[in-house]
Amino acid sequence: MTVKGTVASVIFYNAENGYSVISLDTTDGGDIVVVGTFPALSVGEVLTVTGRETYHQRYGEQLIADSYHIDNPTTRQGIVRYLASGLIKGVGEITANNIYDMFGGDTLNVIETNPMLLVRVKGISDKKAVEIAKSVSQLKKMQSQIMFLQQYNISTNLAMKIYNVYKDQTKSLVSANPYRLIDDVDGVGFATADKIAVSMGYQPDGAFRVRAAVVYCLKDSAEKQGNTYLLKKDLTARCSELLALNLEEHASLYEDVLTQLVLEPTIKAYDYKGEACVALLRLYSLESAIATRLIRLNRQVRRIPMDSDSLIKQFQQVNGIQFHQGQYSAIRSATVNGVTVITGGPGTGKTTIVKCIAEIFSANGLRVEMCAPTGRAAKRLQASTGYDAKTIHRLLGLEFRDGKTSFKFNQNNPLPCDVVIVDEVSMTDVYIMFNLLRALDDGTRLIMVGDKDQLPSVGAGNVLADIISSKTIDVNYLTYIYRQSEDSLIVSNAHLINQCKMPEINNSGKDFFVMNINDLKQVYDTVIQLVTTRLPKFTSVSPRDIQVLGALKSGIAGVENLNVGLQAAINPPRPDKGEVVHGKNVFRLGDRVMQTVNNYEMPFVRFNKDGTAEEGTGVFNGDIGFITQVDRINGLVEVEFDDNRRAQYTSNDLADLQLSYAITVHKSQGSEFDVAVIPLVNGPPTIINKNLLYTAITRAKKVVVLVGSKKVLAMMIHNNYIAARTTMLEWFLKSEDRKFDAFFGKDEH
């Protein structure tokens, strides 16, 4: 449906994202409410809108805009209303009429081309004439930039996103290099940027296009598969598919592009294990730096005389426990080595060991810092050890200034501590590990704790696995199950599953249940019932504290569909409960939500227990919280996260938020929940495997319920597939270790 008319009023306009509600007087004499994303519109402008007609129960008939075109008003009424709309600085209705009386239908042309003629109008000075011209020019520039983007079939919403990044430089920057949109604007991938580029006349086999594809494939591989490099033959295949261009037939062009990228330098090309490899230079450098720092910290530890044996005995007496030999060895290793890894499954006493290590160091006057990759993991670490624990970002003092992120503590300003303990280290990617290591002064001890059998980090790299496989750092494997009550099956079944064995199923027990259901619709219905009624009665745990952990996002029993059903059951709409709609999501007061990407710019306020408030920036992928305020008029949502941070989301930010009554297992890493409900669904063997099931089960503290086919359960347990990541850290560690031996001599080992 296409309508044309004059803007009668702007009912609502959000300057941050362009979301608007306007009343349009149509040329056929009727009026209609138009909803969509627009640049700032002025009353009186002539608007042609194409969109779909809909009916809102509260607001009546509406046109949801897909595209539009803006024309200058031509009538007296239109020009006067345009100038007096409030967007043109210094012009009210009287002045607007006076300007029209002087220049008539040529008014807007005079303002745009010869504004000093305005001084002929009563009440307009030279300064005011300049201000009027400037206001009109800014409005026109904004509208022009948006309409420039729309000619390339870019949605208005995305066009506003691009404009908010580039402002008045939008046309020049996008024309010069449309592929820069991939890096600069959230939501723009290669396909979108490439579509714009091709429509601008960029050649399908041009060097500019091939260059963009190479960089994109390397970044995409890091972000989605965690790879820090690609075999050259794999990179070539990915680029060929992305470009729909056989690069083997354009070998000269392709090699020239790679050479240029090496010279810039943007990439690193090298041979590894007899294969040609290509990496983003930044990732290559990060892994190299991590290896150098780890080996240095490990070899140059400050030797401090301490009677750790007596302190361990004292800890055992006070806490009424007896450490197993493996646990005892792990504690001793941490007190002797510069860098120590402690790894084990659930119930093997990792937390108790960490607490003992911290007490030994503290008793010897050493300053200990504890941290974890996520707010939930840090909160859990603090609760279980009694020591203050922070996220790694908070420990390092994350700051966002002038459009860039930085850390207060770095190589020039090391952390003021002697020991750093990192929990859930399997979640740590190369970016955060690099920043942590460069903030540690020489001689600082580093203790890394985690479960090597859990899913790897969401971000690039395979840090824990590479450190372990390099055999350059002392690794302590905990195998003895320390935490296990007689009638508990969660811990023992997790270990059975990790050994590719079927769990013990005893549905008359207290904490581990399997509901054998084949029909996916019945799986969906059962999950909803379990969370809303059955489990709260059985466990006395609120539905708000029961977490559904799914393998897949889509499907009948997928995370997205379950979230819709769980929201309707747990937090239904009410007249007194605010909500905002963003795309296909409804965000309602009281909803549990999750941040899905790192946003280092997002401001927050943290309310501490002592009553003080702390301002900062940064919300991160996987952070879970609850919606505490909703401002429907301005499209604002406030979320309070687990570590007492409160962040305000504009309509533009809501794309990074999702309901989290159900979340994927990957997003649950580092978290622990009283009760976990896990729907078992079939899917790709690269996802539906033992590793994922093991990670899901180990997230639960009190109760686990598996809902689905026992056949799928058996298939997952016997599928030992783990997607191999291509990373260089293991090689760098071995190489750096050998360099250290050669330079300092074997006796330093």
Side-chain angles (χ1 to χ4, degrees), residues 128 134 166 218 224 300 323 425 445 479 575 698 721 731:
K128 193 169 183 177
K134 186 177 180 181
Y166 298 142
L218 289 171
K224 292 181 179 177
Q300 297 187 330
F323 286 124
V425 75
R445 281 176 166 80
T479 56
T698 55
Y721 174 85
W731 185 87

Side-chain angles (χ1 to χ4, degrees), residues 611-678:
T612 60
E614 171 190 351
E615 293 185 355
T617 59
V619 292
F620 307 105
N621 190 357
D623 284 350
I624 293 177
F626 287 89
I627 294 178
T628 50
Q629 289 185 34
V630 174
D631 180 349
R632 189 188 62 78
I633 299 299
N634 294 304
L636 300 177
V637 169
E638 182 188 78
V639 177
E640 182 173 358
F641 292 102
D642 291 328
D643 56 357
N644 302 320
R645 283 171 301 151
R646 290 188 183 181
Q648 194 171 76
Y649 286 72
T650 66
S651 297
N652 213 31
D653 301 317
L654 289 176
D656 300 335
L657 211 59
Q658 69 178 34
L659 295 173
S660 64
Y661 298 101
I663 60 176
T664 61
V665 178
H666 285 83
K667 292 288 188 183
S668 74
Q669 290 174 264
S671 298
E672 198 172 60
F673 311 97
D674 283 342
V675 180
V677 178
I678 305 167

Side-chain angles (χ1 to χ4, degrees), residues 394-414:
R394 189 181 177 199
L395 175 67
L396 296 178
L398 174 69
E399 299 174 327
F400 187 85
R401 293 178 180 173
D402 301 324
K404 295 182 179 180
T405 57
S406 62
F407 292 98
K408 175 183 176 183
F409 296 105
N410 50 48
Q411 69 272 30
N412 300 317
N413 181 33

Side-chain angles (χ1 to χ4, degrees), residues 184-313:
D184 296 343
V185 183
D186 288 339
V188 177
F190 183 87
T192 300
D194 192 48
K195 187 177 179 181
I196 297 169
V198 171
S199 64
M200 285 181 171
Y202 284 81
Q203 294 302 309
D205 59 352
F208 208 68
R209 185 168 181 256
V210 175
R211 182 198 183 283
V214 170
V215 175
Y216 175 80
C217 284
L218 289 171
K219 287 184 177 179
D220 188 61
S221 171
E223 292 169 1
K224 292 181 179 177
Q225 285 93 40
N227 300 316
T228 56
Y229 76 90
L230 286 175
L231 296 178
K232 185 180 177 182
K233 60 185 179 184
D234 292 337
L235 174 63
T236 305
R238 291 187 185 208
C239 289
S240 294
E241 182 179 359
L242 187 67
L243 295 165
L245 189 69
N246 189 338
L247 290 178
E248 291 182 357
E249 296 177 1
H250 295 76
S252 177
L253 166 67
Y254 184 51
E255 292 300 329
D256 286 347
V257 167
L258 293 179
T259 300
Q260 183 58 42
L261 284 167
V262 170
L263 293 173
E264 287 182 8
T266 298
I267 65 172
K268 176 80 173 178
Y270 57 97
D271 286 335
Y272 177 51
K273 294 182 179 179
E275 294 271 14
C277 303
V278 182
L280 289 170
L281 181 62
R282 173 160 173 74
L283 288 173
Y284 186 91
S285 302
L286 285 176
E287 288 194 301
S288 176
I290 289 170
T292 301
R293 198 77 193 107
L294 280 172
I295 297 301
R296 185 179 180 88
L297 287 170
N298 194 39
R299 297 295 196 90
Q300 297 187 330
V301 61
R302 286 194 289 263
R303 304 293 178 185
I304 301 172
M306 61 177 77
D307 187 3
S308 55
D309 289 335
S310 63
L311 289 170
I312 292 172
K313 289 178 182 177

Side-chain angles (χ1 to χ4, degrees), residues 31-48:
D31 62 276
I32 190 170
V33 173
V34 179
V35 179
T37 305
F38 297 94
L41 292 171
S42 179
V43 171
E45 286 183 303
V46 178
L47 192 64
T48 303

